[in-house]
């Protein structure tokens, strides 16, 4: 494990430390392709895309040195992000499952997960959305639904994080503090953006199909997804938007002509790896995250029309679901994942969301089934499926 420059290390020899064991409520913990980071700090920063540079400049002036930050962006475009300035960090490689099993979950903590609304509300919303599309107007909208439960006692966040790491070795696993003692915990498959020096990388996912326990059926689903004109169209909408945004910030942008398949424990996804070189070295990973979020993978296209329809048809607020979660070091490097496959956890309750991309040709029942499959990532971590 290493210590990031310009920050105080957590006490003790870093190479002997287990970030999960060191975690305590209010810390930021994340493991992804850029490695793992455990961050601790007492100062909270609330920033939007318009205020972030000034807020960070004011913070640096007050502390007399650049500082790493970590936090979350809400789903709502232009909404207030919640961050902590990291006084101390522990950095290391991507975390792997430990030797000891992490059993348990929410069993014994409260009641079973319950839907916020009947299933037919979601399929009805999808049917309504299908009537809104037009060649000159709305092309895609992502509609989500939610489950919740009460807790008789607080969850062990470190245990849940460890379970998610073990169950999702290739995911971006995170535990991010929120206001009022809440925590956003999840295992996202999707990289919004990573900055490493002058390199900027994004890996949008859109177009999905559930996995199957039967190997032959699972491979058939994978082939079906690769050949699905509906899913390829949905994916292209996302890639085009990400490429357009990054082309204004990068040179030499590489955008593959066709997507690849990636798999999680519950889903197949269409994936495109996009990479370029920053035009200006002052562009930080947080700048890139604000510029890209929300992509059509979690919102739809065009953004404003999709957001309006989401507000009209969804029955609960997304909060920080389908936002972004990540960190940035003192040099501006960092990694931000799309905050999906996650739970917002308080001391006495938790809520989870899952969504599906709706485009012309979508089937309401199949989209509902897709949300059920996507729930499985976080519900497995919680020990309820």
């Amino acid at each position: 494990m290493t210590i990031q420059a310009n920050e105080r290390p957590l006490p003790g020899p870093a190479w002997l430390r287990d970030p999960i064991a060191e975690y305590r409520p209010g810390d930021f913990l994340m493991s992804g392709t850029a490695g793992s980071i455990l961050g601790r700090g007492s100062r909270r920063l609330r920033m939007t895309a318009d205020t972030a540079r000034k807020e960070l400049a004011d913070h640096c002036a007050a502390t007399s040195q650049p500082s790493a930050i970590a936090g979350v962006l809400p789903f709502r475009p232009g909404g207030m992000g919640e961050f902590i300035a990291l006084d101390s960090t522990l950095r290391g490689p991507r975390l792997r499952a430990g030797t000891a099993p992490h059993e348990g979950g929410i069993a014994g903590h409260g009641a079973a997960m319950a839907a916020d609304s009947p299933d037919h509300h979601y399929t009805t919303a999808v049917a309504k959305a299908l009537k809104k599309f037009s060649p000159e107007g709305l092309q895609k909208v992502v509609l989500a639904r939610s489950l919740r439960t009460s807790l008789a006692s607080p969850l062990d966040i470190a245990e849940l994080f460890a379970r998610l790491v073990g169950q999702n070795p290739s995911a971006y696993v995170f535990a991010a503090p929120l206001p009022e003692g809440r925590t956003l915990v999840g295992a996202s498959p999707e990289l919004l953006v990573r900055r490493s020096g002058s390199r900027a990388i994004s890996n949008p996912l859109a177009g999905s199909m559930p996995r199957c326990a039967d190997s032959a059926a699972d491979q058939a689903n994978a082939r079906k997804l690769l050949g699905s004109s509906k899913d390829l169209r949905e994916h292209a909408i996302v890639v085009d938007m990400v490429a357009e945004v990054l082309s204004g910030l990068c040179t030499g942008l590489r955008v593959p002509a066709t997507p690849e398949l990636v798999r999680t424990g519950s889903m197949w996804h269409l994936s495109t790896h996009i990479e370029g070189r920053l035009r200006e070295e002052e562009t930080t990973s947080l700048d890139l995250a604000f510029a890209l979020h929300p992509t059509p993978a979690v919102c739809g296209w065009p953004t404003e029309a999709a957001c309006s329809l989401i507000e009209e048809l969804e029955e609960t607020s997304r909060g920080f679901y389908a936002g972004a979660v990540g960190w940035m070091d003192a040099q501006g490097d960092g990694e931000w994942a799309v905050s999906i496959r996650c739970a917002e956890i308080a001391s006495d309750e938790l809520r989870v969301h899952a969504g599906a991309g709706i485009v012309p040709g979508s089937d309401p029942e199949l989209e509902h089934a897709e949300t059920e499959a996507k729930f499985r990532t976080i519900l497995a971590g919680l020990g309820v499926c």
Side-chain angles (χ1 to χ4, degrees):
M1 307 294 283
T2 60
I3 302 301
Q4 178 63 44
N6 299 320
E7 299 150 31
R8 292 186 292 106
L10 293 171
W15 60 90
L16 297 178
R17 311 292 287 278
D18 176 359
I20 300 177
E22 295 285 341
Y23 172 86
R24 67 190 192 197
D27 289 349
F28 177 90
L29 180 58
M30 184 168 173
S31 176
T33 52
S36 63
I37 178 169
L38 171 65
R40 188 169 294 161
S42 58
R43 181 172 180 184
R44 292 188 173 272
L45 303 173
R46 304 187 73 230
M47 304 183 293
T48 67
D50 293 333
T51 65
R53 282 186 174 252
K54 183 180 185 304
E55 291 283 346
L56 290 174
D58 290 346
H59 173 71
C60 291
T63 57
S64 302
Q65 65 178 18
S67 175
I69 64 165
V72 292
L73 309 183
F75 165 73
R76 188 174 182 83
M80 190 73 70
E82 299 283 348
F83 305 87
I84 54 173
L86 302 181
D87 300 325
S88 54
T89 61
L90 190 64
R91 294 279 301 277
R94 186 176 216 154
L95 299 177
R96 303 296 179 187
T99 55
H102 292 272
E103 303 298 339
I106 65 171
H109 283 270
M113 302 295 296
D116 279 311
S117 59
D119 290 350
H120 70 83
H121 284 205
Y122 184 78
T123 54
T124 298
V126 173
K128 290 179 179 178
L130 288 170
K131 298 177 181 178
K132 303 286 187 178
F133 295 116
S134 69
E136 299 79 22
L138 186 69
Q139 299 175 43
K140 175 183 177 179
V141 64
V142 179
L143 294 180
R145 48 190 286 260
S146 61
L147 309 175
R148 59 182 170 82
T149 191
S150 298
L151 300 173
S153 57
L155 282 182
D156 185 327
I157 299 298
E159 179 183 283
L160 173 56
F161 187 98
R163 287 167 62 86
L164 290 171
V165 167
Q167 294 167 356
N168 306 275
S170 63
Y172 300 87
V173 185
F174 55 87
L178 298 176
E180 301 173 349
R182 294 171 293 135
T183 308
L184 190 71
V185 186
S188 173
E190 186 169 3
L191 173 69
L192 178 64
V193 70
R194 180 169 73 251
R195 177 193 187 253
S196 179
S198 63
R199 294 173 65 219
I201 301 166
S202 183
N203 186 195
L205 307 182
S208 307
M209 193 159 292
R211 302 286 308 278
C212 297
D214 178 79
S215 177
D218 192 45
Q219 291 301 312
N221 273 1
R223 291 191 296 271
K224 183 177 179 181
L225 179 60
L226 269 179
S228 167
S229 59
K230 173 259 184 189
D231 288 284
L232 289 168
R233 183 169 66 253
E234 179 185 343
H235 187 78
I237 291 171
V238 182
V239 170
D240 288 349
M241 177 270 186
V242 171
E244 181 179 357
V245 171
L246 290 183
S247 66
L249 299 167
C250 298
T251 61
L253 197 67
R254 295 198 295 272
V255 185
T258 57
E260 299 177 331
L261 277 177
V262 298
R263 62 185 176 185
T264 68
S266 60
M267 301 296 297
W268 288 103
H269 295 286
L270 296 177
S271 164
T272 296
H273 182 97
I274 301 172
E275 181 173 345
R277 294 278 173 181
L278 292 173
R279 295 180 186 274
E280 300 179 1
E281 61 181 20
E282 293 82 7
T283 302
T284 69
S285 65
L286 183 58
D287 291 331
L288 293 167
F290 272 126
L292 286 168
H293 174 71
T295 75
V298 293
C299 176
W301 189 256
T303 302
E304 185 175 348
C307 282
S308 294
L309 191 56
I310 287 168
E311 187 171 337
E312 175 187 338
L313 296 178
E314 290 188 2
E315 299 186 314
T316 58
S317 171
R318 293 188 177 189
F320 292 95
Y321 162 73
V325 57
W327 56 271
M328 180 177 74
D329 68 17
Q331 287 71 48
D333 286 344
E335 185 164 72
W336 299 84
V338 181
S339 53
I340 51 178
R341 315 294 193 272
C342 58
E344 187 170 314
I345 302 172
S347 61
D348 59 351
E349 66 178 2
L350 68 83
R351 184 186 298 273
V352 301
H353 292 79
I358 314 302
V359 295
S362 290
D363 180 289
E365 295 295 338
L366 292 179
E367 301 301 342
H368 182 274
E370 182 174 317
T371 65
E372 288 286 304
K374 289 176 175 177
F375 275 132
R376 290 205 296 265
T377 298
I378 189 62
L379 293 184
L382 290 166
V384 294
C385 78

